[in-house]
Amino acid sequence: MAKLAINGGEKANPQGHIKYPQISQADRDAVNRVLDREVFWGLNGPEITGLEKEWAEFVGSKYALTCNSGTAGLHMGLAAVGIKPGDEVITSSLTFVASALCALQHNAIPVFCDVDPRTFNMDVKKLESKITEKTKAIIPVDLHGMPCDYDEINALAKKYNLKVIADACQSHGATYKGRNVGTLADLSVFSLNGLKNLECGDGGLVNTDNLEYYEKANQLRVFGEKLKAGVPRDYNSYEIGWCYRMLELPAAYARSKLTHLADDNAIRQANAARLTAGLQGMPGLITPYVPEDRTSVYHYYRIRFDPKALGINMSPNEFRARIQKALIAEGCEAKRWQTRPVQLQGLFKDKTGYGYGCPWTCPYGSGKPVNYGPEDYEVTQQILEDSIVFYDPIYPPNGAEVVDRYIAAFKKIWENMDEVLDFPIDMNDPTINSL
Ligand SMILES: Cc1ncc(COP(=O)(O)O)c(C=O)c1O
């Protein structure tokens, strides 16, 4: 039996993997095109309008707006559907903080729904109980690139007259019942930050079929002004707005990346399928679940560990940390994405907000104290403790050889489980606590 690398043995993956993103000549040419043109900003710039047109076509929605981050796009979405101070907005407990931050940014109050232990998305069985007369919107999050249960969510939204803003920041190109993400909600928001399946360093995209929402979102994007292509600017702000516009350089780069997003997603899917197949039958390993009616674009590949299935009497948190350490020593990437449920972050614990507890203390709210109790994050907490994510090895240009070395690393670790349970471990070690 091979000795584990953590105990001085040879690494199962000495070659490692290639980092995402790789910059092609076409990407460089796109950026140079902007430099040569010497037009760097402006909402009617050719790259920005080109990206909006191409992204609307890719998704199959009537309208697309660029902006400078997914966080900005979510805020634009809430403004567009008319969220007001004190309104409640339900989102997932297992997400990036921006899914909830956007509600606070619009003086609304985030409410959290726990997730399903298999899909990691908002658990629709728990969603209805979170709806009150103050609820005005739901922000489902397509975690790790897999669409939420949109039919059920939209049905509840219809029943209670709520708006749905899809946090599709991780799910560019995924499908649900044959329909593209970006067409499944009142508005859908994508992030283009440097980690995303479609990226340009920092940026965002908002899709909708609704002209009124499109115009409102645009208004928030540019200082509350009503700006239209070809119409002279009258410098009149009608509402509170921000400066959320994108620039020409990232737009040009994103357009270049968009030309191969579908191919890149296919590689992620093939790599994920190979990894899942290679790990099949290994006890204590729970590979990602994708319901048959949808596709995932595997922004992350999350794998859960169950020490009990191996007859090991250890907390899932410590077991996960040990496997993670052992994988890293073998030359593999093994990361955590988020280390706590959103509502356990300082912002939501302190509830200072803008000062004086706003917006939680907003007089337009329900008047009841807002408590973020464990019933809304129990499953999220378990998932965060007992799982890790893979990122780079799933991304192109990595392929079968890299994935096979990851499978070999797992097999080696599983064959030497007694060693895994034995080495000293510091649970605060930063290498096992962040992305
Ligand atoms: C689920 C989710 N929502 C929102 C965001 C915010 O996107 P951005 O970083 O572009 O503001 C991210 C980005 O990490 C995300 O993963």
Side-chain angles (χ1 to χ4, degrees), residues 73-367:
L74 288 167
H75 188 186
M76 284 159 61
L78 285 182
V81 300
I83 295 306
K84 298 199 171 44
D87 288 350
E88 292 176 10
V89 175
I90 306 172
T91 192
S92 172
S93 301
L94 179 48
T95 184
F96 180 64
V97 67
S99 316
L101 213 44
C102 59
L104 297 174
Q105 286 164 334
H106 215 57
N107 281 304
I109 297 165
V111 170
F112 295 95
C113 181
D114 208 353
V115 297
D116 178 281
R118 292 215 294 166
T119 65
F120 313 141
N121 283 339
M122 180 179 272
D123 187 341
V124 285
K125 293 191 294 304
K126 296 179 179 162
L127 181 56
E128 193 163 12
S129 71
K130 302 278 116 206
I131 298 172
T132 70
E133 73 268 13
K134 295 303 298 180
T135 309
K136 292 291 178 304
I138 306 170
I139 303 183
V141 183
D142 300 338
L143 206 77
H144 302 343
M146 194 174 78
C148 292
D149 296 321
Y150 279 99
D151 278 356
E152 290 84 349
I153 292 168
N154 284 326
L156 279 176
K158 197 165 173 210
K159 181 169 166 191
Y160 293 97
N161 194 23
L162 313 176
K163 303 297 178 198
V164 180
I165 294 144
D167 182 337
C169 284
Q170 302 190 353
S171 59
H172 322 65
T175 60
Y176 173 81
K177 300 190 177 177
R179 287 143 60 206
N180 291 336
V181 166
T183 62
L184 303 166
D186 291 298
L187 286 104
S188 305
V189 180
F190 298 84
S191 163
L192 301 183
N193 80 25
L195 290 167
K196 295 300 187 286
N197 291 29
L198 177 64
E199 64 86 27
C200 68
D202 251 330
L205 289 158
V206 179
N207 292 75
T208 182
D209 282 342
N210 183 309
L211 180 61
E212 186 197 333
Y213 297 160
Y214 169 77
E215 288 180 340
K216 285 285 243 180
N218 191 24
Q219 208 168 306
L220 187 94
R221 176 170 74 149
V222 282
F223 319 105
E225 292 181 52
K226 293 184 197 288
L227 300 183
K228 278 213 166 95
V231 178
R233 185 174 183 179
D234 68 349
Y235 291 98
N236 189 357
S237 176
Y238 294 82
E239 283 192 88
I240 297 177
W242 273 258
C243 182
Y244 281 166
R245 63 190 171 211
M246 191 186 246
L247 294 169
E248 286 284 280
L249 280 166
Y253 175 90
R255 289 177 80 190
S256 174
K257 294 288 183 195
L258 179 55
T259 60
H260 49 87
L261 171 63
D263 292 343
D264 290 357
N265 279 341
I267 293 171
R268 281 182 271 267
Q269 286 164 338
N271 286 346
R274 191 174 182 94
L275 185 54
T276 297
L279 301 177
Q280 262 343 284
M282 291 176 66
L285 272 185
I286 306 165
T287 51
Y289 164 69
V290 182
E292 275 179 11
D293 60 4
R294 64 202 80 177
T295 59
S296 171
V297 289
Y298 289 99
H299 175 57
Y300 290 112
Y301 180 104
R302 184 177 287 276
I303 188 159
R304 298 188 72 180
F305 303 118
D306 176 11
K308 264 206 233 106
L310 288 151
I312 295 169
N313 185 18
M314 179 181 280
S315 75
N317 194 33
E318 183 177 340
F319 185 67
R320 179 266 312 154
R322 287 178 171 280
I323 299 297
Q324 206 181 344
K325 266 301 225 192
L327 279 167
I328 293 168
E330 296 295 336
C332 296
E333 173 198 272
K335 295 178 170 176
R336 290 182 87 188
W337 181 83
Q338 305 301 312
T339 52
R340 73 197 77 207
V342 183
Q343 58 270 61
L344 294 192
Q345 297 192 27
L347 165 69
F348 300 94
K349 290 213 295 201
D350 300 345
K351 293 203 205 72
T352 308
Y354 292 102
Y356 307 119
C358 292
W360 286 280
T361 51
C362 176
Y364 296 106
S366 68

Side-chain angles (χ1 to χ4, degrees), residues 11 17 26 31 49-50 73 86 105 140 213 221 247 309 324 355 357 378 388 406 413 422:
K11 290 182 179 187
H17 52 256
V31 168
T49 50
Q105 286 164 334
Y213 297 160
R221 176 170 74 149
L247 294 169
Q324 206 181 344
E378 262 160 1
I388 56 168
Y406 271 69
I413 291 169
D422 210 32

